[in-house]
Amino acid sequence: MPALAGVLGHPVAHSRSPAMHNAAFADLGLDWLYVKLPVAPALFEETVRALPASGYRGANVTIPHKLAALALADHATDAARGAGAANTLTFGDDGTIEAENTDAGGFLDALGSSPRGRTALVLGAGGAGRAVAWALREAGAERVAVWNRTPERALDLARELGLVHVARPVPAEIVVNATSVGLEPDRSEEEMIAALGLEGLEPPAVVVDLVYAAGVTPVLAWGERTGARLVDGLEVLVRQGARSFERWTRRSAPLEIMRAAVRER
Ligand code: NAP
């Protein structure tokens, strides 16, 4: 029987993680299988606790379970504690559960160059915004400003992590969209840029959009206008997945194979 891994979410049908991880297992000749695990919140904890005895070595966790995943773990990494959420669980041979947040490190890997000494603006104070803001701070960004549609959440996050809360987006060298704005089919690009308060703001040197879509997202198109270096959500997805893969298998993740698998869709 293959070693198992999977993604726990509700819903999880859209996930590209099975294609990405199964391609990586096949490339390295590993007898592993990665599956979708749709689980309602009320059943999350009992499902997770049953996974190790069913042959699971690890799992990714997505909306809405990331806080619950951290809460039930026996151990948590600094990134999971710092972000206040876990997207990766690893099951030990003794049945213990370790929580990690690879969204944070995966974001830094995708960024491609160190943010040390740079200014950054994070749009969004949900789960992804928290992970990105924590990662930027840990990696030595000079000033991390956080903006959110609901200002109280940005204020809380900024207080908790010792960052700057801004009432409207301010210029920065790195701008990260960690909101879910960018996928609404019935809204124009201008409307989405306005929803994020970016209209009238000069695009920076680097623009990262965690939202992934088939084409160029509104935020990436905004950055493209002035020739910003663009990092898309699929690269962040691959990099967070690679970190999970390496944690479970202790093998180097085949990044090109994983990239091809997520972009094929
Ligand atoms: P979340 O916890 O539900 O947070 C959603 C965020 O989007 C909040 O900050 C929310 O603001 C904001 N938002 C939603 N609708 C908005 C609107 N119309 N105008 C302005 N802001 C709006 O979700 P999440 O887990 O942080 O994920 C956010 C996005 O990142 C999702 O699209 C997700 O797919 C993506 N993501 C990608 C990766 C990757 O690997 N590429 C990893 C993680 C997440 P309020 O607080 O005001 O509601």
Side-chain angles (χ1 to χ4, degrees):
M1 182 176 150
L4 297 172
V7 55
L8 295 146
H10 187 70
V12 79
H14 64 283
S15 176
R16 300 182 192 217
S17 291
M20 174 170 73
H21 284 283
N22 286 326
F25 295 144
D27 184 63
L28 296 188
L30 298 176
D31 188 18
W32 280 63
L33 179 66
Y34 188 108
V35 299
K36 291 176 187 170
L37 294 166
V39 181
L43 294 175
F44 179 73
E45 180 160 357
E46 69 181 87
T47 303
V48 171
R49 294 201 184 283
L51 290 178
S54 309
Y56 282 82
R57 310 275 281 274
N60 285 128
V61 180
T62 187
I63 289 174
H65 302 309
K66 289 185 180 182
L67 298 183
L70 176 62
L72 65 68
D74 300 298
H75 312 287
T77 62
D78 287 348
R81 272 197 300 270
N87 77 330
T88 303
L89 296 175
T90 306
F91 306 129
D93 293 336
D94 56 356
T96 54
I97 301 174
E98 185 211 56
E100 158 71 313
N101 190 312
T102 66
D103 286 334
F107 158 75
L108 290 176
D109 293 342
L111 193 57
S113 63
S114 170
R116 182 165 295 282
R118 304 277 209 93
T119 58
L121 168 68
V122 179
L123 306 170
R130 292 181 74 89
V132 164
W134 181 85
L136 285 164
R137 191 198 72 179
E138 287 300 296
E142 167 70 21
R143 189 203 61 176
V144 180
V146 185
W147 172 88
N148 195 57
R149 174 180 62 176
T150 309
E152 295 75 26
R153 293 183 83 188
L155 204 53
D156 287 349
L157 176 58
R159 276 204 195 112
E160 197 182 311
L161 296 184
L163 310 174
V164 182
H165 158 255
V166 288
R168 61 186 55 82
V170 293
E173 293 167 275
I174 302 167
V175 171
V176 185
N177 177 29
T179 73
S180 46
V181 173
L183 291 177
E184 303 94 313
D186 51 347
R187 292 177 92 188
S188 70
E189 197 171 303
E190 289 70 28
E191 283 174 315
M192 289 190 256
I193 291 301
L196 294 175
L198 292 176
E199 78 280 26
L201 195 72
E202 185 67 11
V206 184
V207 175
V208 185
D209 196 350
L210 264 57
V211 169
Y212 43 89
V216 175
T217 60
V219 171
L220 292 180
W222 170 75
E224 209 169 30
R225 273 185 236 151
T226 51
R229 184 162 69 79
L230 308 178
V231 178
D232 72 9
L234 287 177
E235 181 63 11
V236 180
L237 180 73
V238 166
R239 294 309 194 110
Q240 64 76 32
R243 283 183 171 239
S244 301
F245 182 96
E246 291 178 350
R247 213 159 184 94
W248 300 326
T249 65
R250 310 215 167 274
R251 299 281 300 272
S252 288
L255 289 174
E256 281 306 327
I257 296 289
M258 296 171 86
R259 284 191 186 105
V262 300
R263 290 186 190 276
E264 227 165 52
R265 286 243 316 237

